[in-house]
Amino acid sequence: MSNSHASAVRQYHDHGYAIWRQVLDPSLMREADQFVDWILARNPDTRPENLNSPLTRHEPFLIRLVADPRLLDLAAAFLGPDIALYGAHFLCKPPHDGKAVAWHQDGGYWPLEPMEALTLWVAITASTPANGCMRVLPGTHRLPMQARDENLAGQGGEMLTGMDQSVVDEANAVDLELQAGDVSAHDVTIVHGSEANRSDQWRKAVAIRYISAGTRVLDQSQGSQFLLRGSAVPGINEYLPWPRFRPGQHMPFTGCEAWNGNLTKTGT
């Protein structure tokens, strides 16, 4: 493990989040940007903030992205060698219209047991305070899971349900400013949210929810369970087969011509 990587892992454990710069190359981020447009064009009634797993799990490009070895190497430092996908959520905010996200903890929404999970948040475009970058409250990953307050749901147009504001001290908030290809990680318990996009620029990102192969998904209808690296644990989860590429049905991407052959070689 490099010194910079070890330092990021320490920051994650100490503060609940970490950042790695220039993990993914610009060409892949351009394809990810095109993928967002591809999905939006096929789901015109869906808000850009809501491009979640049911809309994307049949697309080979999604698996190409989340199974990128550079991302799995980061995830392995926290989850070990056997890694699965719980789900991926493209979190995209259009200019002047992108919604805020209320302060929340991810783990309160996820039916996982045990909660051996990690979010890698990949910036597809620049993510800044002006266009609604993610904000975290360092150290709150040590808090117990807080109850969600249904009375706070949607106040001010925010996404998600609000939580007990007594644990929220915005004076301590840190803006996670990222450029395209940068990656942040955050703990399932850390309190985080984001402001609305009031800028002229899109904010496009994908939050990838990785789990250890020993984590059981209690409600498999909610996510998109794919085994990405290593071996499955017998009797824990049923994993979906990696989707085959079909011209005209799926978005073309670099390497898509060899995709189906590689699936056969790997036994996926």
Side-chain angles (χ1 to χ4, degrees):
M1 183 184 298
S2 69
N3 289 336
S4 61
H5 185 48
S7 176
V9 171
R10 285 195 301 272
Q11 178 176 341
Y12 178 91
H13 289 303
D14 290 342
H15 300 290
Y17 73 97
I19 293 175
W20 295 266
R21 303 293 183 187
Q22 298 180 328
V23 175
L24 300 177
D25 54 275
S27 60
L28 179 56
M29 293 300 90
R30 285 193 293 271
E31 288 189 326
D33 197 342
Q34 294 165 8
F35 182 68
V36 169
D37 294 341
W38 171 274
I39 296 298
L40 283 173
R42 283 152 181 74
N43 298 275
D45 296 328
T46 300
R47 286 283 313 181
E49 298 91 345
N50 292 333
L51 303 180
N52 52 25
S53 292
L55 299 179
T56 61
R57 61 186 169 205
H58 302 299
E59 287 280 346
F61 178 76
L62 173 73
I63 306 304
R64 183 267 171 270
L65 178 60
V66 302
D68 189 287
R70 292 165 291 187
L71 297 178
L72 293 181
D73 286 347
L74 296 181
F78 303 92
L79 300 175
D82 303 316
I83 303 170
L85 180 72
Y86 169 54
H89 190 160
F90 286 81
L91 301 160
C92 303
K93 299 185 181 187
H96 304 293
D97 185 43
K99 293 186 177 182
V101 178
W103 293 108
H104 67 285
Q105 297 167 301
D106 286 342
Y109 294 88
W110 298 351
L112 304 176
E113 187 179 87
M115 189 64 69
E116 294 177 358
L118 172 76
T119 295
L120 291 185
W121 202 99
V122 178
I124 297 172
T125 64
S127 183
T128 68
N131 66 13
C133 67
M134 187 166 71
R135 311 178 76 209
V136 299
L137 298 179
T140 54
H141 64 300
R142 299 188 183 92
L143 293 173
M145 204 68 69
Q146 304 294 305
R148 300 198 301 270
D149 187 344
E150 301 296 336
N151 294 322
L152 298 177
Q155 287 191 359
E158 299 98 337
M159 305 284 289
L160 300 182
T161 301
M163 61 179 293
D164 182 359
Q165 297 299 293
S166 67
V167 303
V168 175
D169 183 357
E170 295 199 31
N172 293 327
V174 173
D175 292 322
L176 301 190
E177 296 190 57
L178 305 175
Q179 296 300 311
D182 291 349
V183 177
S184 68
H186 60 272
D187 188 275
V188 296
T189 312
I190 195 171
V191 177
H192 63 290
S194 63
E195 300 290 342
N197 184 357
R198 299 183 176 88
S199 78
D200 297 328
Q201 305 297 320
W202 272 89
R203 192 213 75 176
K204 296 181 180 180
V206 58
I208 307 172
R209 323 297 195 181
Y210 295 107
I211 57 175
S212 71
T215 291
R216 187 184 304 275
V217 180
L218 301 178
D219 181 358
Q220 298 213 353
S221 68
Q222 286 198 23
S224 297
Q225 290 79 48
F226 293 94
L227 183 66
L228 301 179
R229 176 181 282 182
S231 302
V233 176
I236 296 296
N237 296 313
E238 294 184 9
Y239 295 110
L240 299 169
W242 287 20
R244 299 178 65 81
F245 177 78
R246 293 180 173 83
Q249 181 176 339
H250 299 129
M251 189 194 84
F253 57 94
T254 302
C256 64
E257 299 85 357
W259 180 262
N260 295 345
N262 289 336
L263 295 185
T264 301
K265 292 175 185 177
T266 59
T268 303

